[in-house]
Amino acid sequence: MNRPSRPQSPTSEPEGLYEELHEAFAEAALDVMPSAVPIAAIERAGRRRRRRRTAAALGAACGVLLVPLAVVVLRADLSSGQGESERVTPPAASAGPTPSPSMELAGKVRIVTPGERVEVSPGTEIWLTEDGKHWSEPDHPTQFRSVSDGNLDLSSPGVSVQESTHDGVSFLSGIFHGPGEPARVEVKTVAGYIDGTALTLAGEPGWGVWYAEVKVPQSQTPTSDSQTAGVAERVTVYDSAGGVIASQEFAT
């Protein structure tokens, strides 16, 4: 009598399939398994990047520190007069002799008040009053020439002269009168042309005083101390436009 066969377990076939799939996946996983991570190379690359960042930071810091240093050096160079655009200051010229009052006033016109004394040179002074010219010299005390005693014809232009010589220097002065305001006095002497100085009172008095000093060569120095010694040859007073206010020739 035939016995019926035992039916197979419904789960036996799927279990075998699962095992086969597991093995297949395991083999595939082995095929794609990544290689070991290069830890050492990564560490070396990281150290290189850190060194570059450190070097860059140090360079930037040095640049920041060098900027004010450069400014300080530049300022120091500029303050000491050095640098690319260095300027050399020439040595100061030696001071010349101190000019005397007559040198300072030579060639000028000065308005003075009555009685105001003007020092021409040590010991020599001139001052004006409404009635005329006053002057004083070392060897000649106060002297006077009037403009109101009738000796001068103020109705027409004219120039007078008084002269004296001391130590080779001739002091020339006089009164001029004529229409206009003086701007320049030209004196022709035996030693050449020189500029004189004019003194006037405020307002329009119609007259003024001129003076000059000149060193005359020994051969041309007058031997007399008279009031007309012959040093001045001509005196001309000009106005600001170059016109002649008064001019006078003198015998030599």
Side-chain angles (χ1 to χ4, degrees), residues 21-36:
L21 288 175
H22 178 72
E23 292 176 357
F25 282 129
E27 292 177 358
L30 290 176
D31 292 338
V32 298
M33 182 175 294
S35 60

Side-chain angles (χ1 to χ4, degrees), residues 31 86 97 115 170 184 238:
D31 292 338
E86 180 177 0
S170 291
R184 184 170 68 89
Y238 297 92

Side-chain angles (χ1 to χ4, degrees), residues 133-239:
K133 166 199 172 190
H134 305 257
W135 77 101
S136 178
E137 300 176 67
D139 298 335
H140 301 281
T142 301
Q143 304 175 75
F144 173 67
R145 288 294 181 270
S146 176
V147 295
S148 59
D149 61 0
N151 289 328
L152 294 177
D153 182 8
L154 299 183
S155 63
S156 61
V159 180
S160 67
V161 61
Q162 292 85 45
E163 301 184 2
S164 61
T165 301
H166 306 279
D167 300 325
V169 177
S170 291
F171 171 54
L172 315 176
S173 65
I175 297 174
F176 65 87
H177 47 91
E181 295 183 3
R184 184 170 68 89
V185 179
E186 179 185 77
V187 184
K188 180 184 178 183
T189 72
V190 293
Y193 286 91
I194 60 173
D195 289 327
T197 300
L199 303 176
T200 65
L201 295 173
E204 297 181 3
W207 65 276
V209 170
W210 68 272
Y211 71 86
E213 283 190 322
V214 58
K215 187 170 185 178
V216 181
Q218 185 65 34
S219 60
Q220 296 174 305
T221 301
T223 57
S224 171
D225 237 2
S226 64
Q227 292 298 312
T228 306
V231 174
E233 295 182 348
R234 185 177 66 243
V235 177
T236 305
V237 182
Y238 297 92
D239 61 21

